[in-house]
Amino acid sequence: MSTPTPTASAARAGGTASRSTLTVTILLWIAVLLDGFDMVVIGAVLPSMIEDPAWQVTAAEGTQIVTAGLVGMTIGALAIGTLTDKLGRRWVMIVAVLAFSLLTLAMGFAGSVWLLMLLRFFAGVGLGGCLPTAISTVTEFRGRAKAGSSTTTVMTGYHVGAVLTALLAIIMIEPFGWHSLFIVGAVPGLILAPVMYFLLPESPQYLLAKGHVAEAEEIAGRYGMELSDELDRDTAEAAQSEKQRSSLASLLTPTYRRNSLAVWGASFMGLLLVYGLNTWLPQIMRAADYDLGNSLGFLLVLNVGAVVGLIIAGKVSDTHSPRRTGLVWFVASAVFLALMAIKLPLLGLYVVVFITGVFVFSSQNLVYAFVGENHPSNMRATAMGFSAGIGRLGAISGPMLGGLLISLGMAHPWGFFAYAAVGLLGALLFALTRPVYHR
């Protein structure tokens, strides 16, 4: 039985359609910004929590709070990614954003470490589903041929969120207390969820994969999309052959097994680098005898480099494919991480840190872009969810690796050499992937 495909006339290009697609991208960009908020917020409030006489949080309890959120995000990415392929992108995204925001708001009024930890865990579950769903949706609206720039464009929100949260912490914690950061952090999501209800459409590719042809054609026409380009012969055959299996089972069939295992390993290494560096870079630089101001400055420059790198990686990968670009990016990450261990003039070190940020953070996102490009709509969100979910195990391991080296007095230079080795492992694992859909 052949898969029905909309006609080309269903898609109508034009200025209105372009603006509509931009609206979808912006909504999803803001959702991913919340992930960036999550990455930084606990680190920003922990010093104040430890010094708060009403709480007296220990370093061990702080680590447990951080870990609870990351474990929740791992579960959310694995479970919600699969639900997205069954229930649709739109409602899963709206519910995930709303749940995360309400739970984060409750964290601002928590009265004990254990309640805060519990709320953090469940907030992580909701937030963990946002990233794979957002990337899957924007990839489908912009087309697989632009999977690289779609992923990297949305992921700039992640690092903008990290920078904004650090700035909010500087402005708000001293006059209003550390609880205020959770309250303010919940507001964007509480606004975003109802806006998504009115402005975020369901993915036409998802609707088509579920057999809702008329609705898929109507949305495609409204947003100027050419669905016939997306459901080409390879995609239709993949959807037909896998339709009796769950999306998760499909990831381990001969067509996708090799890529799934390689992507999971590369994603683990990529997020290990992201979270390891964002957690411990200032402390590693302090161990290298740089003052606190410059140590924090290196962290800021690293994330500025990340935003620039995402923009560059998106454009390059649209031309040369996410896989080829990702291989270069992982290797370059390893090289520049090793260079950070060398004593350089201050300006030279800032340049190296900036370039390191350009490559390290984009490497992980190019893995996501490869997943978006090489999976059909009926399993894309599940594939993205498992990539992000298993990657979150790397997010837990990254701070642990840095913390171990610091506790052993080996933070500098061995911390950078260890992270450089992780970058090389990421390149080797990503090299094992093979394109399923050829350009």
Side-chain angles (χ1 to χ4, degrees):
M1 179 178 176
S2 61
T3 302
T5 305
T7 61
S9 61
R12 288 181 282 274
T16 302
S18 298
R19 287 194 294 273
S20 299
T21 303
L22 179 62
T23 299
V24 172
T25 303
I26 290 172
L27 290 173
L28 298 172
W29 184 88
I30 296 171
V32 173
L33 183 146
L34 300 178
D35 202 341
F37 165 84
D38 180 85
M39 180 177 67
V40 172
V41 66
I42 291 295
V45 302
L46 262 180
S48 300
M49 292 175 66
I50 291 171
E51 295 173 4
D52 189 337
W55 280 66
Q56 297 181 335
V57 174
T58 65
E61 288 173 330
T63 301
Q64 290 170 356
I65 294 170
V66 172
T67 303
L70 290 171
V71 171
M73 292 177 75
T74 301
I75 294 172
L78 295 173
I80 296 177
T82 302
L83 284 175
T84 299
D85 279 332
K86 295 182 179 299
L87 304 178
R89 299 1 178 178
R90 179 174 178 268
W91 273 111
V92 168
M93 177 61 76
I94 292 171
V95 172
V97 169
L98 185 60
F100 159 74
S101 302
L102 289 172
L103 288 161
T104 300
L105 180 65
M107 289 169 67
F109 299 95
S112 70
V113 171
W114 288 106
L115 179 57
L116 186 65
M117 195 180 304
L118 185 65
L119 291 169
R120 179 71 173 169
F121 169 79
F122 285 111
V125 173
L127 188 61
C130 287
L131 181 62
T133 306
I135 294 175
S136 297
T137 306
V138 77
T139 298
E140 289 166 0
F141 271 90
R142 298 186 68 194
R144 275 206 320 267
K146 294 184 178 179
S149 60
S150 297
T151 301
T152 54
T153 297
V154 168
M155 287 302 295
T156 59
Y158 185 85
H159 296 285
V160 171
V163 172
L164 289 177
T165 304
L167 292 175
L168 281 173
I170 294 171
I171 296 170
M172 296 191 63
I173 288 179
E174 185 173 348
F176 301 109
W178 58 267
H179 288 89
S180 65
L181 211 58
F182 292 114
I183 297 170
V184 171
V187 171
L190 293 174
I191 296 172
L192 180 64
V195 172
M196 280 183 164
Y197 176 81
F198 290 105
L199 297 183
L200 183 67
E202 184 55 89
S203 161
Q205 287 89 342
Y206 166 80
L207 292 170
L208 197 59
K210 293 298 181 181
H212 305 299
V213 179
E215 189 177 354
E217 287 183 329
E218 190 274 326
I219 294 176
R222 195 185 339 144
Y223 285 83
M225 300 168 63
E226 184 65 77
L227 284 187
S228 58
D229 290 342
E230 291 301 300
L231 290 182
D232 55 20
R233 180 173 55 84
D234 289 335
T235 308
E237 289 176 355
Q240 180 70 17
S241 64
E242 306 297 345
K243 68 178 181 179
Q244 300 301 323
R245 295 187 174 97
S246 69
S247 296
L248 173 57
S250 297
L251 292 179
L252 298 176
T253 56
T255 302
Y256 298 101
R257 184 187 302 122
R258 175 172 174 165
N259 278 354
S260 295
L261 296 175
V263 159
W264 295 346
S267 186
F268 179 96
M269 298 302 169
L271 278 178
L272 191 157
L273 290 178
V274 169
Y275 278 80
L277 287 174
N278 267 312
T279 301
W280 291 118
L281 180 61
Q283 189 62 34
I284 293 174
M285 302 314 279
R286 289 288 286 148
D289 297 327
Y290 292 96
D291 60 51
L292 181 61
N294 278 309
S295 297
L296 293 173
F298 292 135
L299 182 62
L300 178 62
V301 168
L302 185 78
N303 278 283
V304 171
V307 175
V308 174
L310 287 166
I311 296 170
I312 296 172
K315 293 182 180 300
V316 174
S317 63
D318 279 351
T319 302
H320 298 287
S321 86
R323 181 180 180 275
R324 293 176 184 173
T325 309
L327 288 172
V328 173
W329 254 241
F330 266 113
V331 172
S333 298
V335 170
F336 282 97
L337 281 166
L339 285 176
M340 286 176 65
I342 301 173
K343 283 284 187 178
L344 296 170
L346 190 59
L347 179 59
L349 185 56
Y350 268 107
V351 171
V352 171
V353 170
F354 174 83
I355 298 174
T356 302
V358 167
F359 288 110
V360 166
F361 297 98
S362 302
S363 300
Q364 169 63 25
N365 296 307
L366 289 166
V367 175
Y368 292 149
F370 174 83
V371 171
E373 184 182 62
N374 284 277
H375 290 84
S377 298
N378 67 320
M379 58 190 294
R380 182 175 290 127
T382 299
M384 201 73 72
F386 269 79
S387 176
I390 293 175
R392 294 291 179 187
L393 299 177
I396 297 170
S397 303
M400 291 174 63
L401 173 62
L404 175 63
L405 292 171
I406 287 170
S407 66
L408 295 174
M410 301 170 63
H412 191 278
W414 295 106
F416 291 124
F417 292 143
Y419 286 128
V422 171
L424 283 178
L425 281 173
L428 289 172
L429 288 164
F430 201 35
L432 296 175
T433 60
R434 291 291 181 269
V436 176
Y437 301 114
H438 298 283
R439 294 185 167 209

